[in-house]
Amino acid sequence: WIGWTLIDGIFASLFAAEMLTRMRQIGVGQYFMGEDFRCAWRSDAELRWRLFEFALIVLAIADLSLSLQHRASPDELTIFRVLRLTRIARILRVGRLQMFAELVMMLNGAVGGLRTLACSLALIAVPLYAVALVMRESLGGMANAGEGAEAFSSLPRAFFTMFRCTVVSECTTADGRPVFLLISERYGWGYGLIFCTTSIIMIFGIFNTIAAIFIENTLAAARSNTVMQKRQRLLDKTVFSEKAAELVQFVWCVHKVRVQAKRDDSPEERQKLLES
């Protein structure tokens, strides 16, 4: 439908007009290089956003031109359409508003907990793999006999069964019967003891430790948002210049009052001078 191409063209024109207006306000060099032309994109959040928006506009114009000319293959157009979804990232700029401070804090906490979550996967996988290996070597040869042993016919299946039983708490066979109850009654209660010991270690030892560390790191990452905002305000040269000018003006006024006081002027004149 040609209407979608027209809509894309309107939005691309609006974004390009916004970019050109911004270039006219601050200059082309400062738009691409930042303040003082230092290109400090790691510490300058505004510079990163400007470069990101420039890339989005270039992709939008290229996508629009290829769509109008019909010279690109469907695969190339699909790539541009997928890259066009990155425009959604512009919505993240609303995170600077005070009304979205809680949302930004939750997002920072979720991102900060990802590393802990990745490490916890390895911590969970190692003991489960060891138990799954023991169950596979002891029950794998009796998989044809059934009675729950078929769940440990191979090492991947044994690991998946242990994961289901200890982490997901869904430890049944295909027909709904409990796996370890069948194994314990048929092959000995030693397997039931192994399952109980593994469950206690995983639930009361590893899971609680992971939950505590995950919550601590998530809260620390969420609190870092406030620290970053304070640091950004300290690095703001405009605010610093305004506050420094106010301080100099205040010191100069006090100095004039003291100099005038030494000349034995009347208190009314000194008050008028201070108010001015």
Side-chain angles (χ1 to χ4, degrees):
W1 184 47
I2 191 63
W4 292 117
T5 304
L6 180 60
I7 294 175
D8 288 340
I10 293 174
F11 279 101
S13 301
L14 292 176
F15 292 150
E18 179 189 5
M19 181 185 67
L20 294 176
T21 303
R22 186 62 175 167
M23 286 183 180
R24 185 177 180 180
Q25 290 177 350
I26 64 176
V28 179
Q30 186 174 348
Y31 185 90
F32 290 101
M33 302 293 291
E35 295 184 0
D36 302 330
F37 304 97
R38 295 179 301 174
C39 196
W41 58 271
R42 292 186 177 180
S43 58
D44 193 348
E46 287 290 339
L47 177 60
R48 293 196 298 268
W49 276 111
R50 291 196 297 266
L51 295 177
F52 177 70
E53 290 177 350
F54 175 77
L56 291 181
I57 293 172
V58 171
L59 289 175
I61 295 175
D63 183 18
L64 183 63
S65 61
L66 290 175
S67 299
L68 293 175
Q69 295 176 2
H70 297 286
R71 295 179 180 178
S73 63
D75 294 336
E76 293 177 350
L77 291 177
T78 301
I79 294 174
F80 276 105
R81 292 190 181 98
V82 172
L83 293 177
R84 192 166 52 188
L85 295 176
T86 55
R87 299 178 189 174
I88 302 175
R90 292 170 63 96
I91 303 177
L92 296 178
R93 300 195 68 172
V94 302
R96 301 181 181 183
L97 302 178
Q98 185 62 30
M99 60 183 300
F100 294 101
E102 289 79 7
L103 176 60
V104 175
M105 184 178 297
M106 287 188 292
L107 291 176
N108 288 335
V111 174
L114 290 179
R115 185 173 62 179
T116 304
L117 183 61
C119 296
S120 65
L121 294 178
L123 184 60
I124 292 174
V126 171
L128 289 183
Y129 176 80
V131 177
L133 185 61
V134 173
M135 300 298 290
R136 165 66 183 87
E137 293 298 325
S138 58
L139 295 176
M142 295 176 285
N144 295 328
E147 298 297 331
E150 67 276 6
F152 302 94
S153 58
S154 63
L155 184 58
R157 189 170 183 179
F159 181 83
F160 181 63
T161 301
M162 293 304 304
F163 180 84
R164 287 170 50 214
C165 294
T166 57
V167 179
V168 187
S169 300
E170 192 270 319
C171 191
T172 58
T173 59
D175 52 358
R177 296 185 297 172
V179 174
F180 276 94
L181 180 60
L182 295 174
I183 292 176
S184 301
E185 292 179 349
R186 175 65 184 275
Y187 305 105
W189 286 97
Y191 296 104
L193 179 62
I194 294 176
F195 174 68
C196 293
T197 304
T198 304
S199 299
I200 292 174
I201 294 175
M202 296 294 295
I203 295 174
F204 296 101
I206 297 178
F207 288 168
N208 290 338
T209 303
I210 291 174
I213 296 176
F214 182 79
I215 293 174
E216 181 180 0
N217 291 343
T218 302
L219 293 177
R223 288 192 297 266
S224 66
N225 180 58
T226 305
V227 178
M228 292 176 62
Q229 290 179 350
K230 293 181 180 179
R231 181 181 179 186
Q232 190 67 28
R233 287 197 295 267
L234 293 175
L235 295 176
D236 193 341
K237 292 185 177 181
T238 303
V239 176
F240 179 79
S241 301
E242 293 176 355
K243 296 300 181 181
E246 294 177 0
L247 178 61
V248 171
Q249 184 178 4
F250 175 76
V251 173
W252 175 246
C253 292
V254 174
H255 174 71
K256 288 195 300 182
V257 171
R258 290 184 177 181
V259 171
Q260 195 69 23
K262 293 181 180 180
R263 298 177 182 175
D264 296 328
D265 292 336
S266 62
E268 293 78 6
E269 295 180 354
R270 291 199 300 268
Q271 184 65 27
K272 291 180 181 180
L273 183 61
L274 182 59
E275 292 176 356
S276 62

